[in-house]
Amino acid sequence: MNKHLPFSQRHFRPFNCAFALSLVALGFASQHAAATTINISLDDDPGKLDPTQSSMIVERIVYQSIFDKLVDLDENGKIVPMLVQRWSVSPDQKTYTLTLQKGVQFQDGTPFNAKAVEFNLLRGQGKTSLRRNELKYIKQITVIDDTTLKIELSEPFAPFMSVLTDRAGMMSSPAAVQKYGDDYVNHPVGTGPFVYKGRLKGATITLEKNPHYWQAGLPKVDGVTYKIMSDVNVAFNNLRSGQVDITNRFPYKEISNISSGANYTVINQPSLGFRGFYLNTGKPPFDKPEVRQAIDLLIDRNAIAKVVYNGAVAASHSPFSKAQFAHGDTDAPPKVDLARAKALLQAAGKQDGFSFRLTLPTTPYETQVGQMIQGMLRPAGISVTLEKAELATQIESGKAGTYEALFVGWSGRPDPDQNIYDFAVTNGSLNYSKFGNKELDDVLQQARLSGDESKRKALYDQAMQILDKQIPYIYLNHDNVLFGIARSVKGFHYVPDGVIRTATLSK
């Protein structure tokens, strides 16, 4: 038998239920509406999502969200703790003792510990790893306990901790690597602030917030979506319309056109990298240093910086930008000197001039640089033919030595060694100029062995004095870190390695 309820209860109980359900629905909708995603445009489609297989800067940008590193860089380019809480180095500079953060997990729930670090470093040394040269000096790894390990090097290597601020120091889940095998490149698992959810090749890469991230209060948003936009102007229009929050490239011509009321701004700061072109010293006419010196004296680097890059680069004459401790007076480019260049050509038996082929990237900016170089060399009787090639083709040509002049730059690394050694030492992996000099080799090796920054700076000055006379590579400029960023984005921190870090971003 039903009890008789008061009128108010009989008529309002269904209403109360409906009202409660409405509140739940509104709460869900509110949570859903509050979900925030940072949209970042990339000018190229990342290839393999595995740090051991990476060769592209856009891959490094995506990795920063998925993988933490053993150590990181701060806004001044200094090495700071990350997964490694602290470290010490033996007096002979050969033994590194690392103490790890406690309580860190990979995104698949497995523990991050000293054994995981050992696994990653050994994997990085593997034959198929592109990090093997960076880690080749590791002789032995000893796991002391879950949060401590000792790394012994075969010889002192001053850039070692710097190497660990990039892909060689990014930690993958051993369980995920073993589970997916060769397909791990499509299933990346790290300890980072965001979890990989999937990609549409050539279009998007989608990440979601890591709810168990070890750094308290981070990340600030619910997800990150990378949108592939190879055309810098398309990316810029998407920034203006609010479809993207950050662009990893920004049109040089627009730098000076930003109004005070614009909904975006630009990050325009010195990077660690450099641009320029190799001269093949293994073939005439660039087998003669006088010819190389003449080319060097004919190029007006400041004009190129102003006309092509709208001042968003620094004219240069070395691989060391102002963001590096090795930067010095040798970075100041020489004044154009046609008379001196002609005298050098005459000394080399090339007083009547010559012709050569300059292989360029496919971008419109580098095409314009090539055209300006054509005009600058013409008064000395030097004819330049421009040829375009994709980066992979350029690299193969550089390795094989089948080019005459090759325009290839470098995104830069925090330690100076990584900007000069492999490029200039005899038989270096990036020495496409095929240049060799025993004195230079010795100086660069000494710089690797010393842990004293002031001594290393003096050695790099000495190395540049040699290169200034030999000119196997024509340094043109140091590119700036140039990002477009919506004013609604908060928490962005500029780091001179040119990589966007997402953990602290909000909007």
Side-chain angles (χ1 to χ4, degrees), residues 285-307:
F286 298 128
D287 57 336
K288 296 186 176 182
E290 295 88 354
V291 174
R292 305 194 297 267
Q293 292 167 11
I295 298 287
D296 193 46
L297 287 171
L298 290 168
I299 296 176
D300 187 340
R301 293 158 172 84
N302 289 305
I304 291 173
K306 181 179 180 180
V307 173

Side-chain angles (χ1 to χ4, degrees), residues 94-166:
K94 292 170 65 175
T95 302
Y96 290 72
T97 302
L98 310 183
T99 302
L100 309 179
Q101 303 283 358
K102 296 180 180 179
V104 180
Q105 289 188 336
F106 287 103
Q107 295 150 357
D108 58 5
T110 58
F112 167 77
N113 52 31
K115 290 293 289 183
V117 176
E118 179 187 38
F119 174 90
N120 276 273
L121 294 178
L122 292 176
R123 181 171 181 257
Q125 288 184 302
K127 291 181 179 180
T128 62
S129 169
L130 299 183
R131 310 278 77 81
R132 61 186 182 277
N133 284 335
E134 300 163 25
L135 300 171
K136 67 181 180 181
Y137 293 106
I138 295 179
K139 181 175 72 174
Q140 184 173 339
I141 303 171
T142 303
V143 173
I144 297 173
D145 56 40
D146 275 357
T147 59
T148 313
L149 70 157
K150 184 180 293 184
I151 301 172
E152 296 179 50
L153 306 184
S154 57
E155 60 184 73
F157 181 52
F160 181 65
M161 291 304 294
S162 173
V163 163
L164 301 182
T165 68
D166 194 29

Side-chain angles (χ1 to χ4, degrees), residues 289-504:
E290 295 88 354
V291 174
R292 305 194 297 267
Q293 292 167 11
I295 298 287
D296 193 46
L297 287 171
L298 290 168
I299 296 176
D300 187 340
R301 293 158 172 84
N302 289 305
I304 291 173
K306 181 179 180 180
V307 173
V308 179
Y309 301 110
N310 198 17
V313 300
S316 74
H317 203 240
S318 85
F320 308 129
S321 79
K322 291 181 179 179
Q324 291 171 314
F325 73 78
H327 179 266
D329 294 340
T330 55
D331 196 46
K335 292 182 179 179
V336 175
D337 191 336
L338 178 60
R340 174 64 179 153
K342 285 184 174 180
L344 287 165
L345 291 176
Q346 184 169 7
K350 294 292 182 181
Q351 61 272 15
D352 296 327
F354 61 93
S355 62
F356 72 92
R357 183 179 72 255
L358 174 59
T359 306
L360 298 163
T362 57
T363 67
Y365 297 117
E366 272 63 53
T367 297
Q368 192 176 359
V369 172
Q371 292 167 345
M372 291 187 71
I373 290 173
Q374 278 181 317
M376 293 171 181
L377 270 55
R378 192 174 295 120
I382 301 172
S383 176
V384 183
T385 300
L386 303 181
E387 175 183 271
K388 295 183 182 180
E390 296 293 338
L391 180 59
T393 303
Q394 286 184 293
I395 298 302
E396 289 306 312
S397 178
K399 290 177 178 178
T402 55
Y403 72 94
E404 294 177 335
L406 185 67
F407 194 113
V408 176
W410 180 245
S411 59
R413 299 294 182 269
D415 191 281
D417 175 89
Q418 309 293 285
N419 273 26
I420 190 171
Y421 188 88
D422 284 336
F423 296 87
V425 75
T426 302
N427 297 321
S429 61
L430 297 171
N431 185 353
Y432 301 154
S433 293
K434 312 304 178 188
F435 171 75
N437 181 286
K438 177 69 165 58
E439 182 185 2
L440 179 63
D441 293 349
D442 291 343
V443 170
L444 292 178
Q445 185 63 26
Q446 288 178 52
R448 283 191 148 187
L449 301 179
S450 174
D452 186 314
E453 194 170 285
S454 61
K455 290 181 179 178
R456 295 184 72 204
K457 169 67 167 65
L459 288 165
Y460 288 126
D461 287 343
Q462 189 177 339
M464 286 312 305
Q465 290 172 7
I466 298 169
L467 287 174
D468 276 354
K469 295 177 182 177
Q470 296 297 327
I471 316 291
Y473 184 94
I474 303 290
Y475 295 101
L476 294 178
N477 55 64
H478 299 295
D479 196 7
N480 280 10
V481 172
L482 199 64
F483 299 146
I485 182 168
R487 294 190 185 275
S488 59
V489 173
K490 310 300 180 186
F492 177 85
H493 300 290
Y494 155 76
V495 178
D497 63 1
V499 177
I500 300 165
R501 289 155 172 80
T502 55
T504 59

